[in-house]
Structures are given as C-alpha cells and as structure tokens.
Amino acid sequence: MNKKGYVSLLMASVMTAGMLAGCSGNNNKQNAAATNSPAETAAATNAAAEGKYPDYSQGFKDKVSLDIPVYERAFEGWNVTDNYYTRWVQKEFGDKYNIEVNYIPITRKSEVIDYEQLLASHKAPDIIFHYDMPQALTYYGEDVMQPLDWAEIENYAPTYWSSMGDTIKQYGIVDDKNIFFYAARPEADNFTTIIRKDWVEKVGMKVEDLTSLEKYNEMLLKWKEAGLGVTGGSLTANSFNYNYAFRDWPIDANYRALYSDLSVADFTTKDTELWLRNMNYQYNNGLIDKEFYLRTDEQKIKSEFVSGKTGTFGLYLTNNTDVISATLANDPNAEFAIVPPFAGVPEGKQPQGRAYWPFGFIMGINYETSDEERAAVWMYLEWLSQPENLFKFQNGIEGENYTLDAEGIAVKNPDYKGESVLSQNNNKDYWGLVTEIAQYPEPEKTLKANLRNWAPAGYEYLADDLVKYYNEVAEFRTPDAMFTTVLEKVNEYKADLNTLFQELYVKIVLAPEADFDANYEAAKKTYLDAGYQEILDEKQKAIDAGQFK
C-alpha cells in the first residue's frame, strides 16, 4: 500500500499537460543537509567510515515502505505495478531488507500533472524525476525536494556512486545545495520516425529523395493526389524543440540559452514563424492530419498510422513494438522506412536537434521521505546497479526471453509471451533509474546489443538506418542551456503560456494562408504580454550574469 495516504519535426508526439497549483514552500527537511565544501564532504566521508550511517545490510528493524515511480505508457496487457519483475524485485530485494517496494504509476503523457496531484495530496513517490532540467528545477523551486548528503549516497550505494558520482557532483548543485542525482546516459538514442515506404514509392519517389522539407512537401502533395493519406501530426505541448531545423547554423550560445526551453515555447522568433508557416501550408493544402490538434496521446496517433490514414509515426523503436504487425494486419503490403533527417529541414538549413545532457533521469528525493526511506532509495539503486540484476531487468530469463550468442549478447525471443515477458520498451521504465540504455563492457558489443533491442524481427534495416542517420547528423545536435538558478518567471507563467501557446498556434495553423501574417503578429503580442516578455527579460539577466552552462 502507498504509504503517503524529442520530438520529431514530422511527428511531434508530445504530452498534453499543464502545471497545477504548486506545493507550499519551506518544505525541505533539514536532516539531510547539503555538504558542498571539501571540508564538509571529507567530514561526511569520515562519518561514514566511522559507522555514523546506520547499517541496514541485514535489513531494517521495522518494515520500510519504498515508493518508486514508473511510467505508465498504456502498453496493452501490461500492468506496471504488478508483473513478474515487480514481484521479483520484492522477493530478491524487498524481502531481503524488510522493504515493501511499491511502484507508483506516472502517466508518461501527463507526468507533470500526475506528480503535482500526488505532491498536493502527499502521496508522491520517494523519487521525483523528470527528463528535462527546466521541470526538475521547477520541482526544486516548489520546495518539494530535500537536500542530499553525497557521502550518504556513496555509503549505501557505492556501485551506483562510482558510476554517477562525478556527474552528480558536476550537475547536482542548485543554489549551493546538493539537490539532484542522475541516471547514466550513454551516447545513443532510439527515437525516430517511420514512414510508409510503399506510399513513397507508389508516387514515383524513393525515401532517399527526401533531402529537404521542400522535397517532403512535394511527396505529400503526390500522396494527396494519389489518395493515399497524409503525414502524421499531434498537438504540440510541453516540449518545445519544434523549430530547431528552421534555425540558422551555427547557433549562438546566448541565443540558445534565451530561446531554447523545453518548458516554455519559443513563439516570437523567425524560426517559429517558419515552422508555423510550413504547418499552415500543410494544413491548408490537406497534407497533414486534419485533426492533429486532437491527437494528444500515443495511442491516438498510432491508431491513425495503423489504420492507414497517416503515413508517418514517431516512436521509440524497439524489437517488440507492435506498430508494424498491427499495420500489416490492416495492409499486408505495407512497407516501412526511417525518415531521413533532412526530410524536415528547409533548403539551406541544417538538421539541428536537441542533444541530450550527459545524464538520463534527473531525480530528487521527496521532502516527505524519511531518513530510512531515503536510505532504502540508495540501497535500491545499488541493487539495481549490480550487473546481474540490471541484465535480468533488461533481458528477462535465459532460455525463455533470450539466449546468449557466442559473444555473450542476449538474443531476444520475439515470440515469447510467458510470465516473464518484457514490457514493450524492454522494461526501460524500471531500470532507467540507473541508466538510459543497456550496455555491455565493450562499445562494439553494446552497439550490437542496441541494434538487436531496437530492431523488430525482419526489419533489422530500420535499426541500422536509425543509427546511421543519428551518426550522420551528430554535429548538429546542441544541448539546451542549463541554468544554474531558478527562473521564477518561467515557473510563474509557463502553465498559462503552455495553454495559450496551444490556442494561438492551432488558430494560426488552421486559418487561411492569406491571414497568416496578421494572425501571427497579433499572436506574438498576445504571447509577449501574457508573461513571455518577462521570461525573456529574466533569462537575459541570468545570461548576462553567466548563470548557465
């Protein structure tokens, strides 16, 4: 029981959410004081050596309830809180240390809303996580995370700390307090956009011909004339890297810091104008899903692709995705390819994208988490970091979910449907607390394993092309600026601006092309007056002070 009673330019599959009322301030507990100075760190390390941290290696005297967040992605037939692996964790970890492990579902497409509701009702999990620093800083600014003792982490989770300690010390400090800890993020990414290759070829083109946005739109016109379908679309909300391909290259660091923000939409630059103008053109010419603004979750977007109404779909490519088989069930002649990175880029521009920071999940400890519960978190990360446990979470049971090849790489059995079946993203939502991508000791072996994990049976070329394109455009990926101070105006206005952005951009896209200029100029003024100008002023002040990385 719960004790606390990248979006692709062509397929922006992003969450629809808004920030609810923030939690009250002055929540941070003082019993886990930050230890920033070398002297304080040394003292804490000595304290650990002298046995000042309680020894829980034989288990807690009284049962401890540990609440771990896990994404709920609406995978068909998958229970995120009760499955073979959650029961395995309880048996192998929880029972051993007298810990009741509870997995708390966080809806992937509305995770901020879920967290805010859980925090407001004092039912939030012990770990508060997010993939993006602006939102993580928002949680910190709401005073719902407690300061951390790094030596305590090292004491209870030495394996985890040896992997992530340097990253934590470099990026985990906010306002001179130790706040965040992280999961590893090896350099790789399996998010991509697939396209109906048979449709492309039916109109006399090849996927390789999609070398620019202009060529892509040319293909869409031919799709329309042939009565095939349209490009996929969804409501853009809460993740705002849609205009990167329209920016000038190389990008200026200060410009990036001012306008690149995953929590507040850049709505006033020439880059956004070009993005909107293209969407307006696509909409008015019948090239995009006419009801894109109603596609607010992955299932809705996927159903349009599976049914043959749209010809593109953005997804994390995995070997057990069901989108290909579902599409083939409706159209046995369907063929698939990866959309080339230049397909969404205007001529003369470069395929810019958002580079990841050198960590995956950004995590903090709930301010209501007790000392023993916090220790249980570190113990869980330590247990999860052990190679044998991580390997089982990622691959399942040998002889059932997989077999080992001559190189020691797990070869998945795609037809396995037994009790230990993995979730559709290979259980990543569980083991993602310690690493973003499964790894082997050797980079070459890791790449081979990734390709196998990403490649649907019979469609191995999709994973090959995904990696090829990822490497080809690596130089054009730029990480967003990481501010080292809380941006109060961002927190104050972002919820309202997110809602306003949706209203304004959809209105502009759906209006006649002849009205675009007037609509956009009016919308920019409305957006600036609603708080965006104050955000730009606050950001500029922080940029001038050098408060960003």
Side-chain angles (χ1 to χ4, degrees), residues 117-330:
Q117 289 177 336
L118 289 167
L119 286 164
S121 62
H122 303 281
K123 295 180 180 180
D126 293 300
I127 295 174
I128 300 172
F129 66 34
H130 200 74
Y131 270 119
D132 302 311
M133 186 58 76
Q135 180 57 43
L137 283 170
T138 295
Y139 288 137
Y140 163 77
E142 292 174 353
D143 215 13
V144 297
M145 293 176 174
Q146 54 179 272
L148 305 177
D149 177 352
W150 285 340
E152 181 186 65
I153 305 176
E154 185 175 13
N155 178 71
Y156 291 114
T159 306
Y160 166 77
W161 183 259
S162 67
S163 171
M164 295 306 300
D166 288 344
T167 300
I168 292 170
K169 287 187 287 187
Q170 181 176 358
Y171 295 101
I173 299 173
V174 183
D175 293 336
D176 297 325
K177 290 182 286 188
N178 300 340
I179 298 297
F180 297 124
F181 56 104
Y182 302 93
R185 182 184 284 277
E187 178 64 22
D189 187 15
N190 63 323
F191 187 84
T192 190
T193 300
I194 57 176
I195 191 170
R196 286 289 297 268
K197 178 174 178 285
D198 53 315
W199 287 13
V200 178
E201 294 178 350
K202 280 181 180 178
V203 297
M205 298 179 71
K206 296 180 179 179
V207 173
E208 294 76 18
D209 295 335
L210 305 178
T211 56
S212 67
L213 178 61
E214 288 78 5
K215 283 289 185 181
Y216 185 76
N217 284 336
E218 177 187 333
M219 178 203 69
L220 294 180
L221 281 171
K222 292 182 178 181
W223 279 7
K224 178 184 177 182
E225 293 168 358
L228 291 172
V230 298
T231 192
S234 64
L235 182 70
T236 298
N238 278 359
S239 187
F240 305 111
N241 57 352
Y242 48 77
N243 69 13
Y244 283 34
F246 296 87
R247 292 179 172 183
D248 292 332
W249 180 264
I251 198 167
D252 176 80
N254 288 353
Y255 184 92
R256 176 202 63 180
L258 187 61
Y259 292 112
S260 299
D261 193 322
L262 289 180
S263 60
V264 178
D266 159 24
F267 194 64
T268 60
T269 62
K270 183 68 174 179
D271 319 315
T272 294
E273 178 184 346
L274 293 173
W275 173 74
L276 286 169
R277 195 177 291 276
N278 177 68
M279 282 199 68
N280 177 254
Y281 165 79
Q282 289 180 336
Y283 181 83
N284 278 286
N285 288 275
L287 309 183
I288 192 172
D289 182 355
K290 280 286 187 182
E291 296 185 331
F292 69 90
Y293 50 89
L294 300 179
R295 316 297 179 210
T296 56
D297 63 63
E298 186 169 337
Q299 285 302 118
K300 292 179 180 178
I301 304 163
K302 184 167 72 172
S303 67
E304 296 298 301
F305 181 79
V306 167
S307 64
K309 296 177 182 177
T310 62
T312 57
F313 176 62
L315 78 165
Y316 286 97
L317 189 68
T318 62
N319 60 9
N320 58 354
T321 181
D322 63 355
V323 68
I324 289 176
S325 60
T327 305
L328 288 170
N330 284 330

